[in-house]
Amino acid sequence: MNSSNQQNLPLLPPFAYRSINRCSLPAAILGSLEFQQHPAALLIDGVQEFHSELFNTLQTMDDPDDRVEHFKEYMRSCFLLDHLDEAGYVSDHKRYQRGKANYLRLLRGWMFNASGTEGAVLKSWVTSRFGLLPRNHLGPLHDYDSHNYQAYLAGYAQGLYNTNALEAQLDLLYGFCQYELQRRFPDTSHWRLYRGVNRLQDHDVLAQPEQREYVLLLNNLNSFSHSSEHAESFGDYVFHTQVPSAKILFFPELLPGILKGEREYLVIGGAYRVSLR
């Protein structure tokens, strides 16, 4: 890309990100349209170093199914998912029994309702790690004093309360997803994915380069499908885009048998150039 084209790219609006994150690139860069076109690997601080034993072991395994089983066993062991009392879980909190909340329940909760408690936790994790702010949860989040925003804050506070390092579990889920994408598809930098929407106006339109071509500011976490037909069931319009591998938190084949019947990709947001059908 020449310098003149780079200068014409719409910038990520300041209201879409914060200046501090826990990632190898600042939010203004990883959330930009230029990143979509020319992505780079994203590393969450400390994950590779702290869990080096996991990734070193995975490197010795050729069978993806064996790697998945080892990852699940590592998660159970590392976060004491089968022995929550040893992790400090207090079971006498009558109001919030959150002992069974873990990364798998967050994924299932998102698939059921992206604007539920689990969705709020996932969106807050994206903000913490990548610096991208949510744009929608139970409705637009444009006003910090709005009912929607207060409900979002309450949702992720409740979702994290009395749980066992949920955000650290998501850090490792993202790290494993990125490892598997690179291991299984080493020559794939982008994925052509589809999303069904009822109204284009539900997204911030940053530019319209051509007819039926838009630059959208997506929510900080989104569901996509690999199939346009599947995406059509979620809205009157379908747009497709090229999603960098570095922005995929979850893909359907990552944990086979765990989320039966779901074919969703969880995609980290920012600015994307999309084509509308």
Side-chain angles (χ1 to χ4, degrees):
M1 178 181 298
N2 60 46
S3 59
S4 62
N5 286 338
Q6 287 181 334
Q7 293 174 357
N8 292 331
L9 293 177
L11 299 177
L12 190 67
F15 59 74
Y17 67 94
R18 66 184 191 184
S19 58
I20 298 175
N21 65 11
R22 296 182 56 187
C23 185
S24 52
L25 288 176
I29 293 178
L30 68 88
S32 68
L33 189 62
E34 184 177 355
F35 184 89
Q36 182 200 12
Q37 298 172 350
H38 305 282
L42 297 176
L43 300 175
I44 297 175
D45 295 346
V47 172
Q48 299 293 326
E49 294 81 1
F50 189 79
H51 300 286
S52 59
E53 179 181 350
L54 167 66
F55 293 104
N56 289 338
T57 302
L58 292 176
Q59 198 63 25
T60 67
M61 298 179 172
D62 294 328
D63 189 334
D65 292 338
D66 290 342
R67 297 198 298 269
V68 169
E69 289 305 314
H70 183 73
F71 169 74
K72 292 190 293 185
E73 179 59 35
Y74 183 90
M75 293 292 282
R76 287 194 292 267
S77 174
C78 180
F79 297 102
L80 300 173
L81 298 183
D82 298 328
H83 304 282
L84 294 175
D85 54 331
E86 297 180 20
Y89 173 65
V90 179
S91 60
D92 58 358
H93 288 277
K94 303 300 182 184
R95 186 175 181 184
Y96 298 117
Q97 291 291 336
R98 298 285 294 161
K100 294 183 179 180
N102 56 44
Y103 71 105
L104 294 175
R105 286 182 176 254
L106 286 179
L107 291 174
R108 293 189 183 105
W110 172 277
M111 304 299 180
F112 179 73
N113 179 13
S115 289
T117 298
E118 292 83 0
V121 172
L122 283 160
K123 292 168 189 174
S124 71
W125 171 80
V126 173
T127 298
S128 171
R129 272 43 178 181
F130 300 97
L132 299 175
L133 296 172
R135 301 297 297 154
N136 192 290
H137 187 81
L138 296 170
L141 298 181
H142 300 162
D143 182 358
Y144 290 166
D145 294 326
S146 68
H147 172 76
N148 288 344
Y149 197 82
Q150 296 306 313
Y152 162 70
L153 294 179
Y156 84 71
Q158 178 182 337
L160 288 176
Y161 177 76
N162 202 27
T163 58
N164 181 23
L166 268 182
E167 292 184 311
Q169 293 181 40
L170 292 174
D171 291 346
L172 199 49
L173 175 67
Y174 174 77
F176 179 62
C177 177
Q178 290 299 303
Y179 175 87
E180 285 297 307
L181 286 171
Q182 295 169 20
R183 184 81 183 266
R184 301 186 197 188
F185 314 101
D187 299 323
T188 302
S189 63
H190 291 80
W191 295 77
R192 184 184 180 89
L193 299 180
Y194 301 84
R195 178 171 171 82
V197 296
N198 287 317
R199 299 188 308 165
L200 191 65
Q201 293 81 359
D202 290 339
H203 300 80
D204 297 288
V205 179
L206 303 182
Q208 186 176 359
E210 301 175 19
Q211 186 178 11
R212 294 188 175 274
E213 295 280 332
Y214 296 87
V215 178
L216 300 183
L217 174 62
L218 300 185
N219 208 359
N220 69 347
L221 190 64
N222 311 268
S223 290
F224 276 81
S225 173
H226 202 273
S227 163
S228 61
E229 290 76 14
H230 183 260
E232 287 174 358
S233 63
F234 293 93
D236 298 324
Y237 301 92
V238 172
F239 65 75
H240 63 84
T241 188
Q242 296 291 329
V243 175
S245 291
K247 283 196 168 183
I248 296 178
L249 168 62
F250 178 84
F251 63 97
E253 295 79 14
L254 182 64
L255 300 173
I258 296 298
L259 301 173
K260 297 180 179 179
E262 298 293 348
R263 303 294 299 167
E264 291 188 34
Y265 290 70
L266 270 63
V267 173
I268 296 164
Y272 283 81
R273 180 164 179 160
V274 309
S275 298
L276 183 67
R277 290 181 56 186

